[in-house]
Amino acid sequence: MTTAIEQPPAGVPDATAARAADHLWMHFARQGRHPETPIPVITRGEGAYLWDNRGRKVLDGLSGLFVVQVGHGRRELAEVAAKQAAELAYFPVWGYTTPVQAELAERLADLAPGELNRVFFTTGGGEAVESAWKAAKQYFKLIGKPGKTKVISRAVAYHGTPHGALAITGLPAMKKDFEPLAPGGLRVPNTNLYRHPEFAEDPKAFGRWAADRIEEAILFEGADTVAAVFLEPVQNSGGCLTPPPGYFERVREICDRHDVLLVSDEVICAFGRHGTTFACAKFGYTPDLITCAKGMSSGYGAIGAMIASEQVIEPFLRPGVAFAHGYTFGGHPVAAAVSLANLDLMEREGLHRRVLDHEAALGATLRRLLDLPIVGDVRGDGYFWAVELVKDKASRQTFDAAERERLVRGFLPGALFEAGLYCRPDDRGDVVVQVAPPLICGQAEFDQMEQILRHTLTEAQGLI
């Protein structure tokens, strides 16, 4: 039985919102206090839904932050966490292990494609990306190619906030306040076919063109200076940019030709988001390194990982060699135990199969929004979709800075939440609204998302 929440008067922040306004430095948020719009307070979750401090029920259309694959309130995961904490709450993997850390490493190695058999634990995705770049640099030093230090990633791609991961990130506005960053980050075009209409009739040619820009960058910089290419299977920032046919096959060929490591950044895409444990398997390529986090534990514990191939780990296994890198809470025993239980739960409930069976329906439901003048494109894969908004549909004209401010930071977040949907309005590339529901969702939740988006975007049309 759920205890009723005493609701504060409308427009008046409760104690939690007031404490947060005074003391909580929120992530990716403007910190200035706005008393007329109190900080939203989420108090509980169950299944695909959240409740706030006013008792409002909201569909979690973003899985928290692309995290809660199995939904909220899964008591069996909470019980596993409690059991592990009582038995052994903490011990590091700094030259030691615990049963759950070793078992999870073996489990991930078994699930990873090809010969990706060695797992380095972190507490999140940015740390996993940071670890992969450092591992790539040291790998090439160990095999006698010390000049290979640079990294290629795509325009508008987000790979994390640590200084190294931020240097890989392709978002200038996110980096300018923290420069100078680690040197060596290079950018190539992304795979936003909607913004390349000249390839509309031949997406395979677009994939070849985009992949060839990677080789062009390698040759321009000098293959003896480039260590790795970091790519998400489906690029998050910019709005769920899917790979064109043949793209990753061509990228793999290019990386092999120039002795460059291919890193599949699957912090969002792994653990069922696209209907497979690792999305690289769905899109037909085997990387040298995988970075992952988020859905590994469905958010019931903070954990991430870098998974390395036998080729990459080999020089690190030589006598006297160490990887001088690690995190206090990497592979935390409680998070590791919960991750094992989460993977069991996903397998038992057939959630990967569910995504494959329902992804077309989710896409078709969202594509109904294409009849709205403000909707230019709907794209995605699995349970990871974006609706791109435009000022003019015929010309695909996007919004100016003032219009973005009104839409993305002013109107859409609050209006969608008030209407009963938590999702992600974003303008790190062009303006999009992203949805990525828990993998337990079906047509009823898809319809609810579409209806709320339709109502809210129709209202948004009046702002432009």
Side-chain angles (χ1 to χ4, degrees):
M1 181 176 178
T2 303
T3 304
I5 300 170
E6 184 177 345
Q7 300 178 17
V12 177
D14 70 356
T16 299
R19 290 188 190 104
D22 289 341
H23 302 292
L24 179 62
W25 195 333
M26 293 181 293
H27 298 201
F28 284 100
R30 295 177 177 180
Q31 303 303 318
R33 185 174 180 177
H34 303 285
E36 71 280 5
T37 54
I39 296 168
V41 178
I42 308 302
T43 57
R44 69 182 183 94
E46 182 178 337
Y49 290 90
L50 304 163
W51 281 260
D52 72 2
N53 59 323
R54 301 177 189 279
R56 183 189 292 110
K57 182 181 180 181
V58 178
L59 175 61
D60 183 357
L62 203 67
S63 302
L65 193 61
F66 315 105
V67 170
V68 189
Q69 317 293 60
V70 301
H72 301 277
R74 302 301 293 253
R75 185 171 296 276
E76 58 265 52
L77 298 185
E79 289 171 350
V80 167
K83 181 176 182 295
Q84 180 62 45
E87 187 173 289
L88 178 65
Y90 174 76
F91 207 78
V93 289
W94 293 44
Y96 297 81
T97 191
T98 67
V100 289
Q101 291 161 338
E103 184 181 352
L104 181 58
E106 181 183 50
R107 180 81 167 269
L108 294 176
D110 288 344
L111 291 169
E115 295 187 340
L116 281 89
N117 293 324
R118 190 68 58 134
V119 179
F120 181 94
F121 285 118
T122 67
T123 64
E127 291 177 356
V129 169
E130 194 86 359
S131 302
W133 192 4
K134 291 177 76 172
K137 285 182 174 181
Q138 187 173 353
Y139 165 78
F140 282 113
K141 286 180 171 60
L142 289 170
I143 66 169
K145 298 182 178 182
K148 292 175 76 70
T149 61
K150 298 174 185 174
V151 166
I152 294 171
S153 61
R154 294 183 290 204
V156 193
Y158 173 79
H159 291 283
T161 55
H163 264 65
L166 193 56
I168 299 172
T169 290
L171 294 160
M174 287 191 63
K175 301 193 282 190
K176 62 183 178 63
D177 291 333
F178 309 108
E179 292 173 334
L181 300 174
L186 311 168
R187 232 63 60 212
V188 295
N190 58 44
T191 60
N192 188 347
L193 181 58
Y194 179 68
R195 290 295 167 187
H196 287 273
E198 68 273 21
F199 289 105
E201 301 303 316
D202 193 351
K204 188 169 185 179
F206 177 53
R208 177 85 180 201
W209 175 86
D212 284 350
R213 302 289 73 75
I214 294 173
E215 184 166 43
E216 188 177 80
I218 292 171
L219 293 173
F220 180 82
E221 295 294 326
D224 58 345
T225 72
V226 179
V229 174
F230 277 70
L231 303 174
E232 298 162 277
V234 177
Q235 184 175 316
N236 169 36
S237 183
C240 300
L241 306 180
T242 56
Y247 175 76
F248 276 112
E249 180 183 2
R250 175 69 173 154
V251 171
R252 181 71 270 181
E253 292 172 359
I254 291 167
C255 289
D256 289 343
R257 181 180 302 123
H258 300 292
D259 194 18
V260 172
L261 299 180
L262 176 55
V263 183
S264 190
D265 184 356
E266 305 208 14
V267 171
I268 287 175
C269 294
F271 305 110
R273 183 56 53 191
H274 296 279
T276 51
T277 301
F278 295 105
C280 57
K282 184 176 187 179
F283 294 110
Y285 67 99
T286 301
D288 301 293
L289 293 161
I290 292 174
T291 56
C292 57
K294 293 186 184 290
M296 190 190 306
S297 70
S298 282
Y300 288 75
I303 193 166
M306 171 186 69
I307 308 175
S309 67
E310 291 291 335
Q311 173 191 328
V312 172
I313 192 63
E314 186 277 328
F316 291 91
L317 301 178
R318 297 170 185 172
V321 175
F323 184 38
H325 176 66
Y327 300 99
T328 298
F329 295 110
H332 192 286
V334 175
V338 170
S339 295
L340 286 164
N342 176 63
L343 295 173
D344 287 341
L345 191 160
M346 293 180 71
E347 183 177 335
R348 187 168 65 248
E349 297 188 357
L351 293 185
H352 291 184
R353 184 72 256 170
R354 181 179 183 83
V355 170
L356 295 175
D357 289 344
H358 289 81
E359 62 178 339
L362 175 54
T365 303
L366 293 172
R367 287 193 182 99
R368 295 177 199 160
L369 298 168
L370 286 167
D371 67 351
L372 297 177
I374 197 173
V375 175
D377 191 30
V378 175
R379 55 182 177 260
D381 182 87
Y383 273 32
F384 187 37
W385 288 79
V387 178
E388 181 165 338
L389 308 183
V390 291
K391 185 174 181 178
D392 181 82
K393 198 160 188 166
S395 66
R396 308 189 183 193
Q397 181 185 0
T398 191
F399 303 96
D400 63 29
E403 291 162 340
R404 287 170 178 244
E405 183 70 20
R406 288 200 301 274
L407 276 173
V408 178
R409 279 162 288 281
F411 176 71
L412 285 173
L416 287 164
F417 191 81
E418 288 289 329
L421 176 64
Y422 166 69
C423 59
R424 187 181 204 179
D426 188 26
D427 69 340
R428 290 176 294 177
D430 294 307
V431 176
V432 298
V433 177
Q434 285 181 294
V435 295
L439 311 188
I440 59 174
C441 289
Q443 192 61 52
E445 290 80 18
F446 304 164
D447 287 337
Q448 185 179 357
M449 286 191 292
E450 189 271 340
Q451 290 159 13
I452 293 173
L453 285 166
R454 176 173 296 277
H455 170 77
T456 307
L457 295 178
T458 300
E459 286 189 341
Q461 183 73 43
L463 298 177
I464 57 172

